[in-house]
């Protein structure tokens, strides 16, 4: 984890997460979390294309919802993309302090890709 103070706001913190996937590939994401509100079992996850930048939703973050901008590695099979998504969600849960149990992903209509829908089902049902 690396602090990103240029992306943070008062009462909120932005962190850059780097972790390894199950096969050793580097996963990278930007996490926004509240330093004041209790964490909610909800995570907004936005997938970014290579080099694309997203925006953290600070209004929702201030209420306790975590916000994650995730840039998945290119050219991955569906199985690997699902595992990558679950892995970064689990890392986000650990960093934000969301207790174990169901975690609901907030998916944005047209951006609800197959890997996000599968990961949401696994996490929201409490299977992972």
């Amino acid at each position: 984890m690396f602090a990103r103070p240029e992306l943070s706001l008062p009462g909120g913190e932005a962190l850059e997460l780097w972790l390894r996937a199950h096969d050793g590939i580097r996963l990278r994401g930007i996490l926004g979390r509240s330093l004041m509100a209790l964490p909610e079992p909800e995570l907004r996850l936005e997938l970014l294309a290579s080099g694309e930048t997203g925006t953290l939703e600070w209004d929702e973050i201030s209420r306790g919802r975590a916000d994650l901008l995730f840039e998945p590695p290119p050219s991955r099979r569906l199985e690997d993309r699902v595992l990558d998504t679950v892995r970064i969600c689990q890392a986000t849960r650990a960093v934000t302090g969301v207790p174990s149990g169901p975690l609901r992903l907030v998916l944005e209509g047209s951006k609800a890709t197959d890997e996000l829908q599968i990961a949401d089902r696994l996490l929201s049902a409490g299977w992972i």
Side-chain angles (χ1 to χ4, degrees):
M1 291 186 315
F2 303 98
R4 296 291 302 267
E6 74 279 8
L7 300 175
S8 300
L9 292 178
E13 177 180 45
L15 301 167
E16 186 168 343
L17 302 178
W18 285 13
L19 56 145
R20 295 280 176 196
H22 67 283
D23 57 357
I25 301 291
R26 180 188 297 167
L27 304 177
R28 179 183 167 272
I30 301 291
L31 169 65
R33 68 176 179 166
S34 174
L35 298 174
M36 310 289 273
L38 291 174
E40 294 181 2
E42 192 174 82
L43 169 66
R44 184 184 80 93
L45 178 59
E46 183 178 343
L47 294 182
L48 304 175
S50 183
E52 183 183 17
T53 59
T55 305
L56 296 170
E57 293 183 357
W58 287 105
D59 288 339
E60 293 298 325
I61 293 169
S62 68
R63 293 181 183 97
R65 183 180 81 185
D67 208 31
L68 181 65
L69 306 173
F70 176 46
E71 184 180 324
S75 304
R76 304 269 284 167
R77 297 179 332 177
L78 177 61
E79 299 85 5
D80 294 328
R81 294 192 320 259
V82 170
L83 290 173
D84 294 346
T85 302
V86 168
R87 177 125 168 90
I88 197 124
C89 289
Q90 288 176 323
T92 299
R93 178 193 295 261
V95 170
T96 58
V98 172
S100 61
L103 176 69
R104 188 174 81 80
L105 295 183
V106 176
L107 309 175
E108 298 179 7
S110 63
K111 293 203 173 197
T113 60
D114 291 342
E115 63 266 26
L116 290 181
Q117 291 180 38
I118 294 167
D120 179 48
R121 179 70 176 171
L122 294 171
L123 294 165
S124 65
W127 293 338
I128 294 181

